[in-house]
Amino acid sequence: MASSKERVPIVIVEYDDISRTIAQRIAEIIKERRAAGGHAVLGLATGSTPIGIYRELIRMHLDEGLDFSDVVTFNLDEYYPMTSDSIHSYHRYMRENLFSHINVKPENIHVPRGDVPRADVDEYAEQYEAAIRDSGGIDLQILGIGKTGHIGFNEPGSGVESRTRRISLDTITRRDAAADFFGEDNVPTEAITMGVATIMEAREVALVATGEHKAAIVCRAVEGEPDPDIAATYLQQHENAVFYLDFAAAADLTRLRTPWVIGEVKWTREKETEAVIWLSETTGKSVLKLDAHDYREHHLSSLLARYGSAGPLNGAVFNALISKVRGRSKLPAGKRVVVFSPHPDDDVISMGGMLNKLHQNKNDIVVAYQTSGNIAVFDHEVRRYADFLRRYGSDFDITDSSYVSLIDDVESFLRKKKTGEIDAFPVQVMKRAIREAEAVSGIETFGMSKSQARFLNLPFYQTGKVRKDPIGPEDVRIVHDLLEEHKPELVFVAGDLSDPHGTHRMCLEAVVAALADYTGPAPEMWYYRGAWQEWTIAEADVLVPLSEEELRAKIQAIFKHQSQKDRAPFPGQDDREFWQRVEERNRSTAQRVDRLGLPEYFAMEAYVVRREGAPVDRETVPTSTLRVMVGPEEEPKVRGRRSVRAKRG
Ligand code: F6R
């Protein structure tokens, strides 16, 4: 398949492979430079993307003795103003995620300082540039990409000549960082960043992007014209830049989204459905009205040729679509079901309609809330509950000193709490309890009972911070025990990997790992999407119609999550409340189905189902990444699949 639209080499693999490949390349550079009597100079980035690379480098240092003693590092950027010991500083991030675990010398580390007086910033920036030059220049620069297309903090408008400097952060960038800073208002408005020219001088560049929230900007940076408003497009002119993408981040690229536009496609039933839906949406005609001319005019002659004429093709796709629609009578009944909900409200937000119907169908359901979601509760909620407890205690003369002093502790902690400070334990517990009570109330809306809710409180989440620990054996054991106890025939999991903090991704990882050792018969896996997206109609295996009343019931259940109402602490880039997004999402799925020429439903939920019966592993997880990933017979022609090293040669 041609990939003529791509203007920069790309590698599409899973995140772990990206991390390993780049870490290995770094190790090679370190050794090559040392062997040649010099030293390696690494350009480093922060953010969520490079964490895996740093973990792998630490592993290589500990297990394989990878030596960093002569390595020089330069980081891309730092917020301004920012003290280096702040929990938000990139100095601290680098210490915690890399430097303090390897033998790099402190004097060889360079991270732009966020505490330089304003008047001295220009001079400081020049010194930073000079230090890069004096070190011999950067051998390999690691980059992430922001939603604005920034590399480093080179926001829209950054020129190709730009050098290290102070810059104003874009609103989108600040909003993306809001969760880390416990609110957008706390995100600094400025940063010090290497310039585009500084980055372009690196001898090699590895840009890494993961997650579907990056898909649109990645497509723009890879396929779009060079544009000063999207700094990443400058990399198209770099001689040795490779974009490493996971499948989710690559999903909007033409080679994956609409491969027929750029060349021959090996047609599968899935691809046929995708193409016909696309054609119907592109032409604005329902599936059964598409004619041969439409197919020919839109690069789909080869598909048409397989069927001889439009009629049979339209009919086959129409029937495939109709068979996806499953009302209550066609949904599972009398089965043992486990619903995994990463946060305490994902169950009702993403599959409230289904949950209601499964309950009506007399399935034996357990909803397993994997994390407490406590970091997403505002302090003012806790104050309100503490006040409630105090009043309740006084009404019933509960004079127990531990009861009163616990409330005192909570209130006094919150009075003195600094922005972003990790909550004291009793506050964390109250936040968890608030969310647990809301979750119970949510499922009770459907007539389910409290005993059907299980709160797993997985340890990986219990950092008190936005950033979580990796999934560990204890997380897996807890999920595994639940599976062994309930022996589900059906398992529902969040199959989206794009929630802002990666928690959904990690919760899925825990389920996948637990299933690997599960002794019962492999359950059927139903994947729902999280609060941020919906499966496309082509991706979905099952479309569940909801009446107006059923959608209202679902929204009522979402309302029970009061701590997330009005203004969720972590809304992502969407200002709407969760119930509003749900209403729009479920109604728009039904409208799209309607436009394809299927019956007109009020609203719809979408699910991907894996029926193969094998334990789920990474290969069968239908993230949009893997869904758009072509089968083994149709390995994507990854232009940049050669390693970074090969490119140098
Ligand atoms: C970080 C940096 C930024 C990030 C980008 C993506 O040092 O310069 O350009 O790489 O904002 O951030 P994540 O990886 O958190 O999505």
Side-chain angles (χ1 to χ4, degrees):
M1 183 205 313
S3 49
S4 55
K5 296 204 165 216
E6 291 160 14
R7 296 159 174 263
V8 64
I10 62 171
V11 173
I12 309 175
V13 284
E14 286 198 47
Y15 181 57
D16 288 351
D17 293 327
I18 297 177
S19 301
R20 263 194 301 273
T21 307
I22 296 179
Q24 267 160 21
R25 178 60 195 143
I26 288 174
E28 279 169 8
I29 292 178
I30 292 174
K31 290 173 195 160
E32 278 168 20
R33 293 285 175 276
R34 193 172 293 145
H39 61 264
V41 182
L42 303 176
L44 302 177
T46 54
S48 56
T49 314
I51 293 276
I53 303 173
Y54 298 151
R55 279 199 189 123
E56 180 61 9
L57 287 175
I58 294 167
R59 191 201 62 73
M60 290 166 104
H61 172 68
L62 298 176
D63 297 353
E64 297 164 14
L66 180 61
D67 179 13
F68 290 86
S69 58
D70 57 355
V71 172
V72 176
T73 69
F74 287 91
N75 264 77
L76 282 166
D77 41 22
E78 174 61 288
Y79 290 107
Y80 186 85
M82 181 61 65
T83 55
S84 64
D85 58 348
S86 158
I87 55 164
H88 302 302
S89 91
Y90 284 169
H91 283 259
R92 182 157 176 169
Y93 168 105
M94 289 307 300
R95 273 199 305 274
E96 289 180 355
N97 290 296
L98 183 65
F99 296 149
S100 61
H101 307 280
I102 58 174
N103 65 333
V104 61
K105 292 202 177 104
E107 62 270 28
N108 288 346
I109 293 173
H110 306 82
V111 182
R113 297 187 59 128
D115 56 358
V116 177
R118 200 163 273 274
D120 300 341
V121 168
D122 290 350
E123 191 189 334
Y124 172 73
E126 275 172 33
Q127 286 164 7
Y128 200 75
E129 287 280 329
I132 297 175
R133 270 196 309 277
D134 294 348
S135 73
I138 292 171
D139 290 307
L140 172 64
Q141 176 66 56
I142 298 172
L143 295 175
I145 180 170
K147 287 226 197 80
T148 57
H150 70 211
I151 48 176
F153 274 135
N154 290 289
E155 298 289 22
S158 297
V160 71
E161 307 279 303
S162 57
R163 293 272 164 195
T164 302
R165 68 206 185 286
R166 186 165 49 83
I167 189 161
S168 268
L169 293 174
D170 192 272
T171 312
I172 296 177
T173 300
R174 293 187 62 236
R175 195 175 274 195
D176 268 346
D180 284 330
F181 281 85
F182 296 88
E184 196 177 324
D185 296 344
N186 306 320
V187 181
T189 52
E190 293 176 315
I192 296 187
T193 181
M194 279 186 198
V196 174
T198 328
I199 294 170
M200 292 294 279
E201 277 168 9
R203 285 182 275 279
E204 283 178 40
V205 173
L207 182 144
V208 184
T210 61
E212 45 196 296
H213 58 304
K214 297 281 172 75
I217 192 65
V218 162
C219 179
R220 182 69 192 78
V222 172
E223 297 187 358
E225 300 271 330
D227 180 348
D229 278 345
I230 301 176
T233 57
Y234 290 123
L235 296 171
Q236 295 171 6
Q237 281 140 37
H238 193 285
E239 282 191 349
N240 208 353
V242 178
F243 282 29
Y244 290 84
L245 311 173
D246 74 355
F247 297 90
D252 278 0
L253 295 179
T254 307
R255 72 156 88 187
L256 295 179
R257 179 69 68 208
T258 51
W260 46 86
V261 171
I262 49 173
E264 276 307 309
V265 171
K266 266 199 185 149
W267 291 106
T268 58
R269 178 45 71 89
E270 267 191 356
K271 277 253 163 322
E272 288 176 5
T273 309
E274 262 174 51
V276 174
I277 291 175
W278 171 83
L279 183 62
S280 163
E281 286 172 348
T282 307
T283 57
K285 291 165 87 170
S286 65
V287 169
L288 292 177
K289 287 186 181 156
L290 294 170
D291 59 29
H293 178 76
D294 297 320
Y295 283 94
R296 283 196 211 99
E297 286 296 291
H298 291 87
H299 314 271
L300 288 170
S301 299
S302 73
L303 175 57
L304 186 67
R306 286 163 68 83
Y307 283 80
S309 64
L313 171 54
N314 295 346
V317 171
F318 183 83
N319 289 338
L321 289 174
I322 281 281
S323 71
K324 293 184 183 204
V325 180
R326 284 167 67 177
R328 181 154 84 86
S329 63
K330 291 191 189 149
L331 287 175
K335 304 260 189 216
R336 285 189 309 281
V337 179
V338 171
V339 171
F340 285 104
S341 181
H343 299 100
D345 53 359
D346 291 309
D347 54 340
V348 289
I349 288 176
S350 296
M351 54 170 288
M354 172 68 96
L355 199 54
N356 196 1
K357 286 180 200 270
L358 289 177
H359 178 63
Q360 288 169 26
N361 276 1
K362 305 211 177 326
N363 290 286
D364 174 5
I365 308 169
V366 166
V367 185
Y369 299 97
Q370 292 176 278
T371 72
S372 69
N374 62 354
I375 59 150
V377 177
F378 284 115
D379 294 343
H380 62 74
E381 287 284 328
V382 176
R383 267 192 231 104
R384 182 156 68 99
Y385 279 95
D387 185 45
F388 169 86
L389 288 177
R390 199 182 284 288
R391 286 166 194 278
Y392 191 74
S394 109
D395 283 345
F396 288 97
D397 284 335
I398 303 173
T399 48
D400 182 338
S401 64
S402 58
Y403 180 83
V404 177
S405 77
L406 201 56
I407 301 172
D408 287 345
D409 286 353
V410 165
E411 288 181 335
S412 90
F413 173 80
L414 291 179
R415 259 194 308 278
K416 292 185 221 134
K417 182 177 167 181
K418 295 196 201 72
T419 306
E421 187 178 341
I422 293 176
D423 283 325
F425 183 65
V427 176
Q428 290 188 22
V429 172
M430 266 185 84
K431 289 185 172 179
R432 168 167 65 74
I434 289 171
R435 295 215 64 179
E436 289 181 357
E438 289 172 349
V440 167
S441 178
I443 61 170
E444 281 177 353
T445 313
F446 304 136
M448 294 172 67
S449 74
K450 199 184 280 196
S451 62
Q452 290 178 274
R454 290 291 187 86
F455 296 97
L456 304 186
N457 205 12
L458 295 182
F460 86 91
Y461 185 86
Q462 297 179 32
T463 59
K465 294 185 272 187
V466 173
R467 224 172 272 289
K468 306 298 179 290
D469 289 334
I471 290 291
E474 189 56 10
D475 300 299
V476 177
R477 185 195 61 75
I478 293 170
V479 174
H480 183 260
D481 285 358
L482 179 85
L483 292 170
E484 294 291 351
E485 181 196 322
H486 200 66
K487 294 266 184 292
E489 293 158 273
L490 259 67
V491 166
F492 284 80
V493 282
D496 71 314
L497 304 183
S498 65
D499 72 309
H501 320 142
T503 302
H504 287 202
R505 188 191 286 255
M506 294 169 82
C507 284
L508 179 59
E509 199 181 319
V511 175
V512 169
L515 278 166
D517 291 332
Y518 173 56
T519 58
E524 194 170 82
M525 301 297 296
W526 290 58
Y527 296 85
Y528 60 86
R529 270 282 171 87
W532 288 269
Q533 250 122 3
E534 183 57 288
W535 299 117
T536 64
I537 292 162
E539 284 170 328
D541 296 305
V542 175
L543 295 164
V544 179
L546 303 182
S547 65
E548 184 166 4
E549 206 174 71
E550 287 170 322
L551 184 61
R552 293 287 143 243
K554 174 176 175 174
I555 289 173
Q556 279 304 322
I558 297 170
F559 283 166
K560 302 297 181 209
H561 293 268
Q562 285 182 345
S563 67
Q564 307 302 296
K565 256 198 68 44
D566 302 332
R567 188 163 75 94
F570 301 114
Q573 290 286 353
D574 189 337
D575 278 337
R576 293 170 306 165
E577 286 193 38
F578 286 121
W579 71 268
Q580 291 169 312
R581 304 182 204 187
V582 161
E583 185 174 50
E584 198 270 332
R585 156 182 171 176
N586 292 162
R587 292 213 61 188
S588 82
T589 303
Q591 282 154 10
R592 285 206 307 278
V593 165
D594 176 30
R595 283 197 291 271
L596 294 173
L598 274 74
E600 193 175 347
Y601 298 100
F602 186 77
M604 274 182 150
E605 289 177 351
Y607 297 87
V608 163
V609 184
R610 283 291 162 264
R611 296 193 176 80
E612 49 266 69
V616 171
D617 59 28
R618 296 182 80 88
E619 293 305 306
T620 60
V621 174
T623 66
S624 63
T625 54
L626 297 177
R627 294 270 312 162
V628 294
M629 175 59 182
V630 279
E633 77 291 354
E634 204 186 325
E635 179 86 354
K637 306 284 181 299
V638 180
R639 227 174 105 201
R641 193 143 199 156
R642 56 204 157 147
S643 69
V644 182
R645 178 167 185 230
K647 275 188 63 56
R648 278 174 70 86

